[in-house]
Amino acid sequence: DAGITQSPRHKVTETGTPVTLRCHQTENHRYMYWYRQDPGHGLRLIHYSYGVKDTDKGEVSDGYSVSRSKTEDFLLTLESATSSQTSVYFCAISPDYNTEAFFGQGTRLTVV
Amino acid sequence: AQSVTQPDIHITVSEGASLELRCNYSYGATPYLFWYVQSPGQGLQLLLKYFSGDTLVQGIKGFEAEFKRSQSSFNLRKPSVHWSDAAEYFCAGADDMRFGAGTRLTVKP
């Protein structure tokens, strides 16, 4: 299995609070992705990174920001959590563009 | 816009029966396509991938998929389903790593 660790695995937070999810990889892959998974929507790309300090938006980026200061870490921040951001968040990595992605175990976030 | 579509939200098959899960894509050039499987509470695991060449690709766990340009399809198949195949299956296209909505497979004993 690809070395991907997401933390925390579960989190409950209150509306309006900031939340940061962490994705750590030990594969030295160039690309890292954050997805959210919701029933009926499959996985939707939030943001992705193609190198240190190089990030871009996905299809559902509003309300989220990311940072990548090291190859191995990709952080997803909800600046002010809302109930609509209750979801399961997955991190994925891939060695290059247009190659298969390897997924972490997911983080279940509940915003109350 | 580039996208992949999975027309079937939920499919039920009997154990031992054959399976086909549908995936349609809308990419201009030859797409890079993938099938992933997700067991309950787990992350996604790659089943197989298509980049170019032979249009019939073999994957893990006895799955295969056929790329048909004329039909813009990349359907996943398995000749005989096992109870352990019950899971959710996602088709995905590279270029922007876009996923379909998924098909949930139930296997009847």
Side-chain angles (χ1 to χ4, degrees), chain A residues 26-61:
Chain A
T26 58
E27 305 296 322
N28 200 35
H29 283 347
R30 180 182 173 197
Y31 283 77
M32 299 185 75
Y33 310 84
W34 277 109
Y35 291 88
R36 60 178 290 173
Q37 183 177 27
D38 305 288
H41 292 279
L43 280 85
R44 292 180 291 176
L45 183 64
I46 304 171
H47 283 279
Y48 68 97
S49 169
Y50 46 97
V52 173
K53 292 186 173 22
D54 293 323
T55 65
D56 205 350
K57 296 178 179 180
E59 60 182 305
V60 290
S61 59

Side-chain angles (χ1 to χ4, degrees), chain B:
Chain B
Q2 298 172 334
S3 68
V4 291
T5 305
Q6 294 179 249
D8 304 305
I9 296 173
H10 183 209
I11 283 182
T12 300
V13 300
S14 297
E15 190 168 17
S18 63
L19 171 70
E20 183 168 27
L21 302 181
R22 297 185 291 164
C23 173
N24 299 112
Y25 66 88
S26 62
Y27 286 80
T30 298
Y32 294 179
L33 297 166
F34 309 91
W35 274 100
Y36 289 85
V37 61
Q38 183 183 32
S39 298
Q42 301 296 312
L44 279 75
Q45 181 184 21
L46 179 71
L47 283 175
L48 48 79
K49 60 188 177 185
Y50 173 76
F51 286 169
S52 65
D54 194 347
T55 57
L56 185 64
V57 293
Q58 302 296 320
I60 62 171
K61 305 185 180 189
F63 286 92
E64 66 179 27
E66 186 170 13
F67 174 74
K68 291 185 177 180
R69 184 186 301 279
S70 61
Q71 299 178 17
S72 297
S73 68
F74 186 57
N75 295 347
L76 182 71
R77 301 195 295 244
K78 187 169 185 178
S80 177
V81 169
H82 188 261
W83 63 266
S84 60
D85 292 324
E88 188 144 22
Y89 292 80
F90 294 94
C91 181
D95 193 37
D96 55 1
M97 288 307 296
R98 195 173 288 262
F99 282 75
T103 299
R104 184 162 60 91
L105 174 65
T106 298
V107 180
K108 292 191 303 184

Side-chain angles (χ1 to χ4, degrees), chain A:
Chain A
D1 290 346
I4 310 169
T5 304
Q6 291 186 231
S7 58
R9 293 292 313 279
H10 301 271
K11 187 171 181 65
V12 180
T13 191
E14 293 186 349
T15 298
T17 61
V19 177
T20 296
L21 308 183
R22 180 181 184 239
C23 178
H24 178 79
Q25 62 146 328
T26 58
E27 305 296 322
N28 200 35
H29 283 347
R30 180 182 173 197
Y31 283 77
M32 299 185 75
Y33 310 84
W34 277 109
Y35 291 88
R36 60 178 290 173
Q37 183 177 27
D38 305 288
H41 292 279
L43 280 85
R44 292 180 291 176
L45 183 64
I46 304 171
H47 283 279
Y48 68 97
S49 169
Y50 46 97
V52 173
K53 292 186 173 22
D54 293 323
T55 65
D56 205 350
K57 296 178 179 180
E59 60 182 305
V60 290
S61 59
D62 287 348
Y64 301 95
S65 62
V66 290
S67 66
R68 190 170 180 196
S69 58
K70 298 185 290 184
T71 298
E72 58 266 34
D73 289 325
F74 192 34
L75 304 181
L76 176 70
T77 297
L78 290 65
E79 303 290 348
S80 177
T82 67
S83 58
S84 65
Q85 293 175 312
T86 292
S87 186
V88 180
Y89 292 85
F90 284 98
C91 174
I93 63 174
S94 66
D96 208 343
Y97 189 65
N98 276 343
T99 58
E100 65 264 38
F102 302 93
F103 283 80
Q105 293 298 297
T107 295
R108 183 173 296 276
L109 176 67
T110 302
V111 184
V112 298

